Amino acid sequence: MPAQLAISIIVPAHNATEFIDECLAHILRQMGTAHELIVIDDGSYDDTAARVEAQAAAAPHCAVRLVRQANQGVAVARNAGLQQARGDYILFVDSDDLLQPGMLECLEAAIATHAPDAIATDFCFWHPHRTDQPLELTRLSYPAGVVLHGHDAILVPYFADRRMYAWSKIIRRQIYLDLGMPLFPSGRLFEDMATVPRVLAACNTLVYLPLVLLHYRQHAVSITHLTSPSWCIDYVLALASLKPHLERAGVSPMVRAEFDGASCLFYLCSIKTSFGLPTCSETRQLRAEVRAIFLGGLFGTIEQSLHNLESGKITSLNLRSGRRVAYQVKQALTDSTVFQIRQTINRAYKTWQLARQKRLSKSN
């Protein structure tokens, strides 16, 4: 292994037999001496580990390590990868996604030129089950070609874009370590949403590359399979849990306002998702719990947040969209009967749509 490693690529994997070969092939074919690949096998009971070992044996010029652990979830796997890593920068890749050709070289060039604390990139939502338009390009709103400095330049676009995936930012390893390990919260969904903003708040500089880093695989699954009380709670809690960390980092009123705007949108998504659960007293209690987490996680008052939405002060929303979001948040907070009926109907329709999509994908 070389004395100096530029990038550590960390791949958490659990029962990834169906995807791991393709994922690793896309990484290994562009690895050089400045890269290492660490696969954390999170208690797989299929042949994921054997496939990783076979890929490593077929690429002896690449620095590949397989680390096995009991199944503890993706957050613990990410933490384990960070503790194993030796590279200057960390790139996370999920085991079912595809790192695009030439991206390691592009990242190395940005590191050599700018040595930023963080690098942001574009990506594509990838729908392999679709025959038409399987790729949806997602561009970030950072300006390209310049080094961005400070919280406002880094965090305002981040919360406006609301693309909070761990793999979408390549960050200096020492910044992760300085925050203390373990960093990703164990036992919770949306562990990246709860962690990456905190890490970015510790960054002084960021460079944006308007290039597609990877194809982010979307699975054709039933919406009822995804919906659970823990999903609804953890989705809102991910942002709410960040508040004390951002306070300690001393973020500006501008960042706080954008954070509160994003929190409103995530709250609304969580509440709408809850209508996919069976209607009962527990569901109403769940919505009350989600509401309390949301309100407790805001920097300002809910009235201030709604005013910012209604007056077009949220970067990512135009005046019309902001007013629509504010109206729906008010309805959700007051348990409006009209809102409940509308969301119940919408959720039933989406469930039907996804079931139909799944049937079509199986027939093709």
Side-chain angles (χ1 to χ4, degrees):
M1 184 177 294
Q4 188 68 26
L5 288 168
I7 303 172
S8 293
I9 305 110
I10 299 173
V11 179
H14 174 69
N15 291 341
T17 294
E18 186 177 354
F19 311 112
I20 194 68
D21 284 336
E22 190 176 19
C23 172
L24 296 188
H26 275 70
I27 297 171
L28 291 167
R29 66 172 58 112
Q30 53 183 300
M31 283 179 64
T33 57
H35 313 130
E36 67 171 351
L37 171 61
I38 303 168
V39 181
I40 308 296
D41 180 18
D42 185 41
S44 297
Y45 48 80
D46 60 8
D47 63 346
T48 294
R51 289 176 178 270
V52 174
E53 290 172 337
Q55 290 263 19
H61 61 287
C62 295
V64 182
R65 274 184 286 160
L66 171 65
V67 178
R68 301 189 189 194
Q69 64 178 34
N71 179 230
Q72 300 171 75
V74 66
V76 176
R78 292 195 198 282
N79 290 330
L82 286 171
Q83 291 172 322
Q84 291 283 332
R86 297 295 178 266
D88 292 332
Y89 289 80
I90 299 296
L91 166 60
F92 286 105
V93 177
D94 287 348
S95 61
D96 55 352
D97 296 339
L98 303 182
L99 183 68
Q100 291 305 286
M103 281 309 301
L104 291 183
E105 183 179 356
C106 292
L107 293 175
E108 271 195 279
I111 291 168
T113 303
H114 304 291
D117 288 339
I119 302 171
T121 67
D122 299 330
F123 63 92
C124 283
F125 286 101
W126 175 33
H127 302 266
H129 52 280
R130 286 185 185 173
T131 54
D132 296 328
Q133 297 182 327
L135 296 177
E136 296 177 22
L137 175 61
T138 297
R139 291 214 179 275
L140 305 185
S141 58
Y142 291 110
V146 296
V147 179
L148 304 176
H149 295 266
H151 288 155
D152 287 0
I154 294 173
L155 291 175
V156 168
Y158 177 79
F159 287 122
D161 289 336
R162 299 183 296 281
R163 303 303 186 186
M164 301 184 177
Y165 310 107
W167 42 258
S168 69
K169 304 294 183 292
I170 298 86
I171 298 174
R172 196 185 294 275
R173 177 171 61 94
Q174 193 59 49
I175 293 175
Y176 280 107
L177 299 181
D178 287 346
L179 290 173
M181 296 297 293
L183 189 59
F184 289 91
S186 174
R188 273 170 42 192
L189 302 171
F190 309 107
E191 80 295 333
D192 43 3
M193 286 170 49
T195 304
V196 177
R198 182 183 170 194
V199 180
L200 284 179
C203 294
N204 293 315
T205 57
L206 179 145
V207 168
Y208 165 54
L209 300 182
L211 303 170
V212 174
L213 176 72
L214 54 70
H215 289 174
Y216 174 33
R217 186 188 298 265
Q218 305 297 290
H219 297 271
V221 296
S222 168
I223 198 167
T224 55
H225 177 71
L226 295 175
T227 303
S228 68
S230 60
W231 192 104
C232 298
I233 290 172
D234 287 355
Y235 194 64
V236 173
L237 183 60
L239 280 192
S241 65
L242 286 168
K243 180 182 174 182
H245 301 295
L246 297 179
E247 284 178 326
R248 283 194 292 271
V251 298
S252 70
M254 186 182 302
V255 173
R256 295 179 181 214
E258 206 65 42
F259 173 90
D260 286 354
S263 295
C264 287
L265 287 157
F266 281 84
Y267 165 69
L268 198 56
C269 179
S270 176
I271 291 298
K272 289 182 177 180
T273 299
S274 73
F275 283 90
L277 297 168
T279 301
C280 60
S281 60
E282 286 80 6
T283 309
R284 289 188 288 272
Q285 183 178 345
L286 168 67
R287 290 181 193 132
E289 185 175 352
V290 168
R291 180 167 60 247
I293 294 170
F294 160 61
L295 294 175
L298 295 174
F299 278 104
T301 64
I302 183 60
E303 290 78 15
Q304 289 171 327
S305 299
L306 293 173
H307 172 73
N308 288 340
L309 288 166
E310 291 169 336
S311 57
K313 293 183 179 179
I314 301 302
T315 301
S316 61
L317 298 174
N318 58 34
L319 185 61
R320 182 177 179 181
S321 297
R323 288 176 175 173
R324 183 177 67 251
V325 169
Y327 174 71
Q328 291 186 334
V329 169
K330 289 177 183 177
Q331 285 190 313
L333 288 171
T334 57
D335 289 326
S336 161
T337 301
V338 172
F339 179 80
Q340 291 182 32
I341 293 172
R342 182 172 295 165
Q343 295 310 315
T344 300
I345 294 172
N346 287 346
R347 209 64 188 173
Y349 177 67
K350 287 181 180 180
T351 300
W352 174 82
Q353 273 188 319
L354 285 176
R356 179 175 178 272
Q357 187 180 72
K358 191 174 182 180
R359 288 195 302 270
L360 289 174
S361 68
K362 285 183 177 180
S363 65
N364 290 334

